Amino acid sequence: MAKAAPAEQLKLLELQGLDAKLRSLAGRRKVLETDPRITDLTDALNVANGELGAAKIAVHDAETELRRAEADVEQVATRIERDETRLNSGTGLSKDLVALQSDIASLNKRRSDLEDVELEILERLDTLRERQAAQQSIVDDIQGSFGSIRAELDEAIAEIAAEETVVRGQRAAFAESLDAGVLAIYEKTIAKRGVGAARLFHGKSEGSGMMLSPGDLAEVKAAAEDEIVFCPDSGVILVRSAEWN
């Protein structure tokens, strides 16, 4: 059975205290890193960006449609201007001039229809642009909230990281003062059990939170003071103090 002076075993409780603090800090860090607000905002931002992308596409398509309509109007206007110039020149046969007048009338009707289409596209484009602007505002608001919460969490995580650095330094320095043999047993135990050592106080193992059975207590009582004993339920090192039984 492994042995260590009672005073050396008592030091394990202090080491366990530092490890418990590190474990607590790691738990706090994990809570911050998995803050549900970030998940919710990320999901909301993905949805909002998707809708913004769709709004931008709709605006782009309407703008393309408007350019085509404007080109159509311009093309018809150019033909009207050309035909009116020929008509006003008075040259040509009378039947050709009559045909020109008919063409101009048809072209003016065509231009009027195209201008109506152009106006409808403009009105629709205004609505689509307003929708895009509103969606952009939603995205900006979500990003603002995300940035604010992210900064808050990053600050808190940085504080925990700084505290972890200090505690790890304290642990490393304290571990160096321990007997190498007992430290090795402790490290093996904490790696396997999550807790390395716990106090045995008035017959209760603080490693398992349970009272030891009379038979287990008898075995602990029979063990020499420098023998390292383990909790029968949790498997951690039991450190006996003056009030252990």
Side-chain angles (χ1 to χ4, degrees):
M1 182 177 289
K3 295 180 179 291
E8 198 71 14
Q9 293 185 43
L10 281 172
K11 290 181 181 180
L12 294 180
L13 294 179
E14 188 172 346
L15 183 62
Q16 178 60 54
L18 291 170
D19 283 331
K21 190 169 186 178
L22 286 172
R23 189 171 184 176
S24 174
L25 289 170
R28 286 167 53 194
R29 177 200 285 268
K30 185 175 181 180
V31 168
L32 291 171
E33 290 174 342
T34 57
D35 191 302
R37 294 177 297 171
I38 291 296
T39 301
D40 292 344
L41 284 173
T42 298
D43 291 342
L45 187 58
N46 288 336
V47 172
N49 274 325
E51 293 179 357
L52 177 60
K56 287 180 177 180
I57 290 173
V59 168
H60 176 271
D61 290 346
E63 288 174 340
T64 301
E65 189 178 356
L66 177 61
R67 286 193 294 271
R68 285 198 299 264
E70 290 172 339
D72 290 342
V73 170
E74 184 178 355
Q75 184 179 24
V76 172
T78 299
R79 287 184 59 189
I80 292 173
E81 183 179 357
R82 182 191 62 195
D83 289 353
E84 286 180 339
T85 299
R86 288 179 59 193
L87 181 64
N88 292 334
S89 69
T91 58
L93 299 175
S94 60
K95 66 175 183 178
D96 293 335
L97 296 177
V98 170
L100 274 175
Q101 287 179 326
S102 177
D103 286 345
I104 290 170
S106 296
L107 288 170
N108 278 321
K109 176 64 170 60
R110 173 63 175 161
R111 181 168 65 177
S112 178
D113 291 342
L114 289 173
E115 287 174 342
D116 288 342
V117 171
E118 183 181 6
L119 180 60
E120 182 276 328
I121 296 172
L122 277 170
E123 291 174 348
R124 178 156 46 90
L125 183 56
D126 286 341
T127 300
L128 291 173
R129 283 171 173 164
E130 288 175 0
R131 188 178 303 167
Q132 177 183 333
Q135 193 60 38
Q136 183 66 61
S137 179
I138 292 173
V139 170
D140 292 343
D141 287 344
I142 295 174
Q143 287 178 330
S145 297
F146 185 95
S148 177
I149 293 173
R150 184 71 269 170
E152 170 193 329
L153 294 174
D154 287 345
E155 181 179 357
I157 290 172
E159 290 176 356
I160 290 175
E163 189 173 356
E164 283 177 327
T165 299
V166 172
V167 177
R168 285 197 186 96
Q170 292 172 340
R171 187 198 190 279
F174 187 77
E176 287 181 358
S177 69
L178 295 176
D179 174 78
V182 73
L183 177 61
I185 295 172
Y186 172 89
E187 297 287 19
K188 183 177 180 180
T189 303
I190 196 171
K192 184 176 182 180
R193 307 292 183 182
V195 176
R199 186 172 61 155
L200 177 60
F201 187 69
H202 292 309
K204 180 179 181 180
S205 166
E206 294 184 349
S208 65
M210 299 173 61
M211 297 295 297
L212 267 63
S213 68
D216 289 333
L217 282 173
E219 288 185 15
V220 173
K221 189 173 183 178
E225 287 187 351
D226 63 349
E227 287 184 359
I228 295 177
V229 297
F230 295 87
C231 172
D233 297 306
S234 65
V236 305
I237 298 171
L238 281 181
V239 178
R240 293 161 286 174
S241 64
E243 300 175 316
W244 71 267
N245 59 3

